[in-house]
Amino acid sequence: MKLVVAVVQDDDADTLVEALLRKEFRATKLSSSGGFLKASNATVLLGVEDEQVDAALQVIEDNCTSRTQVVNPMPPIMEPGEFYLPYPVEVQLGGATVFVLSVERFERI
Ligand code: 2BA
Ligand code: 2BA
């Protein structure tokens, strides 16, 4: 068995979970936030049999889209009299960041 951990954008999370359930995957959605943007995202956990991993990844790929987001970087620490003109930076948010881990033991208690 494998544990698929997928960090996805908030906008895609509900559609993804619905699509996974339609294909009879079991899923748990956690609210999370990105370290860099500090914006909320979602982490979807899927415990799946080894031979189902590719099918699960395909559902993730089909339902998670890459987007560009414009962010304002943190201003630097200023000395008195210094002037900082903030300019927005474009960040490419991936459709999903996916980790696949081996599960040593799975129990339903
Ligand atoms: P965030 O950390 O909020 O990152 C959002 C996007 O900002 C990233 O998109 C990437 O394009 C950019 N970014 C992140 N760190 C950066 C840095 N140090 N310098 C320049 N740009 C940076 P994604 O790579 O698609 O990641 C989306 C979200 O997936 C991340 O949100 C984070 O929550 C998660 N993630 C990505 N890689 C991860 C990893 N190796 N471990 C754990 N979580 C990860
Ligand atoms: P839920 O997905 O809301 O599922 C609640 C209960 O509904 C499940 O209890 C199970 O009895 C039933 N159920 C879920 N999916 C089903 C399906 N495709 N067909 C028939 N019955 C189904 P538990 O199995 O005790 O799971 C409790 C919670 O643990 C789940 O909440 C989910 O959040 C998590 N979970 C269970 N198995 C998981 C897995 N393989 N991967 C990720 N999360 C899992």
Side-chain angles (χ1 to χ4, degrees):
M1 191 182 209
K2 296 277 191 278
L3 178 67
V4 177
V5 180
V7 184
V8 303
Q9 294 173 45
D10 253 352
D11 290 346
D12 295 328
D14 288 338
T15 328
L16 171 62
V17 171
E18 289 301 318
L20 287 165
L21 293 184
R22 274 199 302 276
K23 299 252 168 162
E24 297 194 2
F25 287 105
R26 301 201 176 193
T28 298
K29 188 182 93 172
L30 311 175
S31 297
S32 47
S33 55
F36 188 67
L37 292 181
K38 316 242 178 313
S40 70
N41 53 27
T43 301
V44 178
L45 305 181
L46 304 165
V48 294
E49 294 306 328
D50 289 18
E51 58 277 10
Q52 290 296 313
V53 170
D54 288 342
L57 296 189
Q58 189 60 54
V59 180
I60 296 171
E61 195 177 325
D62 291 345
N63 288 279
C64 297
T65 33
S66 173
R67 297 181 182 89
T68 302
Q69 192 163 325
V70 177
V71 291
N72 286 305
M74 292 280 287
I77 297 164
M78 307 290 290
E79 295 293 332
E82 279 185 336
F83 179 71
Y84 170 71
L85 186 65
Y87 61 93
V89 174
E90 268 195 4
V91 170
Q92 183 73 30
L93 277 175
T97 299
V98 182
F99 305 89
V100 181
L101 295 80
S102 292
V103 174
E104 212 162 279
R105 186 164 159 176
F106 168 76
E107 300 266 3
R108 278 184 82 226
I109 295 165

